[in-house]
Amino acid sequence: MAVQISRVRPCDSDDDVSDSEGTHKRLAAAPPSKRVKATLTDLSVFSSLGLPINEAQTKSYTFFSPLPLSDTSDEYVLGVDEAGRGPVLGPMVYATCFCKESYYDELSSLGFADSKQLTEEQRDRLFARLQQPDVRESSGWSIRCISPQDISLCMLRRNKYNLNALAHDATIQLLRDTLAKGINVRRVFIDTVGPPATYQKKLETLFPGIKITVAKKADSLFPIVSAASICAKVTRDAHLSNWAFAESKLQDKLSTVYGSGYPGDPNTIKWLRESLDCVFGYPGIIRFSWSTCVKLLEDKAVPVVWADDEDVSASVKPASNFFAQTQGAKGTGNSGRRRSQFFGHRRPVSLGVTL
């Protein structure tokens, strides 16, 4: 079965990934912020799936795992969670995991839990387990990987598109795409973004007929959300560990010891200070809308003075000044517009027609 991906050519490989456990153990010996760039062997799970881990992430993309074989009677339960909402760098990844209702108890018994409560080794092992044929035949997963450049673009545009709206839209897109692929989703569990009741009502309006539960800490309450959490977290960690800078000349010049990526992490702040170019600022891995990044640029980079809109408007004449205006005769109600020369030259005649 071909893997489906929105931006990168799918990989037709459907190989067993059971031999990846040993490589994941080596990879898990250090957190993502401490890893040396992984080898292709370390990325065996991702390469077999066709995920674009080694490509520069300048654009967001959506990825679906191979879909389970289904018939019209199969009903599915689906969970949604994210990874990377708060960090100042790297992508934000939203993920779904879905399985047949008849398989949910068995999936739950595999040991899925909130990804933040698991070690990296445990997360990697569980993610690899999702790719095994016996699990894959009854379940699947998808991700929406939102690039840092797209996050910056949304947050900094004139009509601000905030992170909550971005998160909601990513979830809605994944749900719609899953349904469009013929997965008969009947129950959905989502880790909330914003007030749960408001978010749930919004989704119920968009997806009538599906039982939707939006809750705080859903990743620790519902195993299907925990599985989605692991898909999101492992994918984001893999991207950061193997980040391909779009600015290719920086690939071997910048450290990949980012820390956790959160603004409160001293290692992250250290990386931000050391990686700042006083003229060109930061590479595309950074979310430029974060206040931490804004302040460092203001303090350390060469200042750039932009003309304010008010200053520009004061020195530029309005476009209406370029059009001549005439005064109509007093009391005539004439709007002051001159008759086109076309009618003066051709002297049209008024014809009266009686029906």
Side-chain angles (χ1 to χ4, degrees):
M1 183 182 296
V3 176
Q4 302 161 51
I5 187 167
S6 65
R7 187 172 61 82
V8 179
R9 187 174 62 184
C11 170
D12 291 330
S13 172
D14 198 25
D15 296 335
D16 192 337
V17 294
S18 59
D19 61 347
S20 64
E21 184 175 340
T23 62
H24 281 300
K25 285 181 178 178
R26 293 195 300 275
L27 199 58
S33 59
K34 301 292 183 183
R35 294 178 186 168
V36 178
K37 188 175 180 68
T39 65
L40 290 176
T41 303
D42 293 326
L43 296 175
S44 58
V45 171
F46 299 102
S47 60
S48 68
L49 290 167
L51 272 162
I53 296 298
N54 283 320
E55 298 183 19
Q57 294 302 308
T58 58
K59 294 183 179 179
S60 304
Y61 71 90
T62 300
F63 175 91
F64 269 80
S65 73
L67 300 178
L69 295 176
S70 301
D71 57 42
T72 55
S73 64
D74 287 325
E75 296 184 346
Y76 283 79
V77 56
L78 179 147
V80 183
D81 201 8
E82 55 80 25
R85 179 180 169 84
V88 69
L89 52 78
M92 177 171 72
V93 181
Y94 262 79
T96 72
C97 186
F98 47 90
C99 73
K100 297 176 183 179
E101 286 274 12
S102 58
Y103 185 72
Y104 188 30
D105 288 343
E106 188 170 345
L107 183 77
S108 302
S109 70
L110 297 179
F112 290 103
D114 178 7
S115 65
K116 294 183 287 296
Q117 306 302 319
L118 299 173
T119 66
E120 187 173 12
E121 181 181 354
Q122 290 171 323
R123 290 194 298 267
D124 287 343
R125 187 184 298 116
L126 285 167
F127 181 72
R129 187 75 181 91
L130 284 173
Q131 319 317 320
Q132 298 293 323
D134 62 320
V135 178
R136 190 189 292 178
E137 67 183 9
S138 298
S139 68
W141 55 274
S142 66
I143 59 166
R144 176 68 180 163
C145 186
I146 306 171
S147 72
Q149 292 186 12
D150 281 346
I151 294 172
S152 298
L153 179 65
C154 290
M155 300 284 286
L156 293 174
R157 69 189 193 182
R158 186 179 295 273
N159 296 322
K160 190 174 180 180
Y161 180 46
N162 66 37
L163 206 59
N164 279 6
L166 190 63
H168 286 192
D169 288 347
T171 298
I172 291 166
Q173 178 183 333
L174 287 173
L175 285 172
R176 284 175 171 162
D177 288 350
T178 304
L179 293 169
K181 292 180 183 298
I183 301 299
N184 183 21
V185 178
R186 306 313 302 159
R187 289 194 296 159
V188 173
F189 299 95
I190 299 175
D191 196 29
T192 192
V193 174
T198 305
Y199 190 16
Q200 181 169 319
K201 185 175 181 180
K202 176 181 179 178
L203 292 173
E204 287 172 341
T205 301
L206 292 171
F207 301 98
I210 297 178
K211 182 175 176 54
I212 295 175
T213 301
V214 178
K216 295 180 179 180
K217 305 293 183 184
D219 48 358
S220 60
L221 298 174
F222 308 106
I224 196 69
V225 181
S226 305
S229 173
I230 287 168
C231 293
K233 176 66 173 170
V234 170
T235 302
R236 174 179 152 81
D237 284 355
H239 270 301
L240 280 180
S241 301
N242 304 276
W243 189 261
F245 288 95
E247 306 83 359
S248 56
K249 292 184 178 180
L250 298 178
Q251 192 67 52
D252 297 323
K253 294 182 180 180
L254 291 181
S255 166
T256 55
V257 182
Y258 315 113
S260 66
Y262 285 90
D265 185 338
N267 289 328
T268 299
I269 298 299
K270 181 175 182 289
W271 187 91
L272 290 172
R273 291 183 183 278
E274 293 176 349
S275 304
L276 190 153
D277 184 285
C278 63
V279 175
F280 297 104
Y282 288 113
I285 191 174
I286 291 294
R287 303 176 186 179
F288 291 92
S289 52
W290 261 237
S291 59
T292 305
C293 173
V294 172
K295 188 168 189 316
L296 283 170
L297 287 170
E298 289 175 348
D299 293 344
K300 304 295 182 181
V302 175
V304 178
V305 179
W306 301 95
D308 292 331
D309 292 341
E310 292 80 5
D311 296 337
V312 174
S313 62
S315 61
V316 177
K317 296 180 180 179
S320 58
N321 283 11
F322 294 96
F323 298 91
Q325 294 183 352
T326 60
Q327 296 295 328
K330 290 183 179 181
T332 64
N334 192 327
S335 64
R337 293 183 179 177
R338 293 176 179 174
R339 195 179 193 194
S340 170
Q341 292 181 358
F342 172 86
F343 296 103
H345 292 324
R346 285 163 178 72
R347 301 180 183 279
V349 177
S350 230
L351 297 177
V353 179
T354 304
L355 296 177

